[in-house]
Amino acid sequence: MALQFDSEEYANRLQRLTARMRDEKLDAMLLFAQESMYWLTGYDTFGYCFFQTLIVKADGDMVLLTRSADLRQARQTSNIAKIEIWVDRANADPAMDLKNLLSDLDLLGCRIGVEYDTHGLTGRNARLLDNQLQSFGELVDASRLVSRLRLVKSPAELAHVEKAASLADDALDAALPLIGPGADEAAILAAMQGAVLAGGGDYPANEFIIGSGIDALLCRYKSGRRKLDANDQLTLEWAGVSAHYHAAMMRTVIIGEPTNRHRELYGACRDTIQAIETVLRPGNTFGTVFDTHARIMDERGLARHRLNACGYSLGARFSPSWMEHQMFHVGNPQEILPDMSLFVHMIIMDSDSGTAMTLGQTYLTTTDEPKALSRYGLDFINV
């Protein structure tokens, strides 16, 4: 088996999960989120684009229901001992196979938690699931149960987070010499992703974001490349990835002469992220972080140009997004605890003037002040 962690680590995770299940009076969990399966067992696949689920009983017994294409994947990347296959066929209803399996596991009439809020369970498959199990037992939406357990990282996980952060720095190292008038976005993007892969890292859970000119105001990847002008702006958001653990960074690089608006927006980003560093510690909440962001940005007249979130938890994630459930937005009561890996980003997109400015990096929380995981500071980047 190609496991990323030792058996004691996985045993501890299972013990934490079953303890939480007992607290929630759950007899079993149906895990559909790939990151939940990976965290609990090491199972590593993109087969979650089809119907598959890991059944976890309160006594710790586990059974994976998946397709034949993932049988060997599960055997070679996980510690799952029991694997059942549903057969691809015309008019297949794998939820019926699941119901029969749950019956064999003596779970009829039981209280069962389901991870609904995940890309590993499509709307169609959720309807099949509910249709088959509506009279089988009591289904409970337990979408956040495992993701909350994953918020605080173990020492072994943090080693991967720090490796990922080093790879993210390597990606910026590779990009900066290429950025300048006439530079091709394609070459910059290839160098960044190549640096992560060459360093032993993985593909990220979502595409690196690159955009220049007016596209520097975009916060998502899109197809199409251009060459940089003599005076330009280039927004980059990327992540180093180690064993699927992510450490993200974000920067807007100015090519040529920066405008006064660029410098003004950069100052707001820097001052805000430095203020957030004073509250990114135990005793505060994710909502406190956002409130700090909103207060400073709004005081500077930037309410229309900022976003309604300023970061999120990071960890081991699978496509289509490296973002965890827990985000820095208004009213989020999630407490900040030691050993969380959190991405803080300042994103200001002034569509009136066509000016972009971003600044973001990943932090490790401690018992006191947070630790920035990048060797790069928060300096203005002008080439």
Side-chain angles (χ1 to χ4, degrees):
M1 295 181 291
L3 295 174
Q4 299 289 352
F5 301 95
D6 63 30
S7 58
E8 184 178 353
E9 177 92 3
Y10 289 113
N12 179 59
R13 294 174 187 181
L14 180 59
Q15 187 276 327
R16 290 172 59 203
L17 173 57
T18 53
R20 185 63 58 87
M21 289 169 61
R22 289 191 291 272
D23 290 343
E24 301 290 332
K25 296 180 171 55
L26 296 174
D27 299 296
M29 278 282 294
L30 301 181
L31 304 186
F32 286 94
Q34 184 59 43
E35 51 270 15
S36 294
M37 301 184 213
Y38 176 76
W39 175 81
L40 186 63
T41 71
Y43 180 38
D44 193 346
T45 183
F46 62 75
Y48 59 93
C49 57
F50 298 96
F51 188 102
Q52 73 167 4
T53 185
L54 179 65
I55 305 163
V56 183
K57 296 180 66 176
D59 63 6
D61 192 23
M62 294 187 290
V63 184
L64 176 68
L65 177 65
T66 189
R67 298 168 64 246
S68 59
D70 278 297
L71 173 62
R72 291 161 189 81
Q73 196 85 10
R75 284 177 176 167
Q76 293 180 209
T77 68
S78 82
N79 61 14
I80 302 170
K82 302 175 185 177
I83 304 170
E84 296 290 335
I85 302 300
W86 67 269
V87 178
D88 297 281
R89 59 194 184 277
N91 302 313
D93 183 354
M96 182 180 294
D97 296 82
L98 174 59
K99 181 173 71 173
N100 293 335
L101 179 54
L102 293 174
S103 182
D104 292 342
L105 294 171
D106 199 26
L107 290 170
L108 178 64
C110 290
R111 181 175 163 90
I112 301 172
V114 181
E115 286 188 322
Y116 283 106
D117 188 11
T118 170
H119 300 94
L121 182 61
T122 65
R124 179 180 183 277
N125 284 338
R127 293 184 68 178
L128 292 175
L129 178 77
D130 289 345
N131 181 60
Q132 288 292 341
L133 299 184
Q134 61 182 343
S135 60
F136 182 88
E138 180 185 1
L139 298 188
V140 178
D141 187 344
S143 298
R144 304 297 173 93
L145 195 152
V146 176
S147 69
R148 289 194 180 101
L149 292 175
R150 296 175 59 243
L151 264 171
V152 175
K153 308 298 190 292
S154 70
E157 289 178 294
L158 291 177
H160 282 298
V161 173
E162 300 221 29
K163 172 63 174 177
S166 177
L167 292 171
D169 284 339
D170 291 346
L172 187 54
D173 288 345
L176 287 177
L178 303 178
I179 300 174
D184 192 330
E185 287 181 357
I188 296 167
L189 187 60
M192 296 182 76
Q193 183 63 82
V196 174
L197 295 178
D202 300 318
Y203 288 112
N206 58 254
E207 301 90 343
F208 287 3
I209 296 161
I210 183 168
S212 58
I214 194 63
D215 289 342
L217 279 72
L218 301 181
C219 301
R220 297 286 185 260
Y221 172 86
K222 74 170 190 62
S223 182
R225 306 285 178 264
R226 67 182 289 269
K227 293 185 178 180
L228 303 181
D229 294 330
N231 288 287
D232 215 328
Q233 54 185 358
L234 177 69
T235 293
L236 301 168
E237 184 178 10
W238 72 101
V241 192
S242 175
H244 293 291
Y245 286 81
H246 291 70
M249 293 179 68
M250 194 170 193
R251 294 289 190 278
T252 298
V253 180
I254 306 304
I255 297 90
E257 186 63 30
T259 65
N260 290 335
R261 187 61 165 164
H262 279 128
R263 293 196 179 278
E264 178 187 3
L265 298 186
Y266 164 74
C269 287
R270 180 201 58 219
D271 293 349
T272 304
I273 205 167
Q274 287 176 340
I276 284 175
E277 289 176 346
T278 68
V279 299
L280 195 69
R281 56 191 70 192
N284 294 313
T285 67
F286 279 42
T288 306
V289 172
F290 177 78
D291 292 344
T292 303
H293 160 260
R295 174 178 55 79
I296 298 174
M297 292 291 184
D298 295 0
E299 286 174 352
R300 300 191 183 198
L302 298 172
R304 291 192 305 112
H305 307 302
R306 66 166 173 83
L307 302 185
N308 294 320
C310 64
Y312 40 83
S313 173
L314 287 169
R317 288 282 290 180
F318 289 73
S319 297
S321 174
W322 66 50
M323 295 185 288
E324 297 276 16
H325 282 138
Q326 297 81 8
M327 304 185 73
F328 300 131
H329 57 63
V330 65
N332 188 344
Q334 173 62 54
E335 295 180 39
I336 295 172
L337 301 170
D339 298 329
M340 290 180 169
S341 53
L342 306 175
F343 178 47
V344 179
H345 62 60
M346 301 295 107
I347 301 176
I348 310 176
M349 301 305 187
D350 180 359
S351 296
D352 297 339
S353 65
T355 306
M357 185 52 60
T358 65
L359 190 61
Q361 61 185 3
T362 299
Y363 292 85
L364 169 63
T365 58
T366 70
T367 55
D368 190 22
E369 63 184 43
K371 174 185 176 183
L373 295 182
S374 173
R375 60 178 177 265
Y376 280 88
L378 298 174
D379 293 340
F380 187 74
I381 304 179
N382 183 199
V383 299

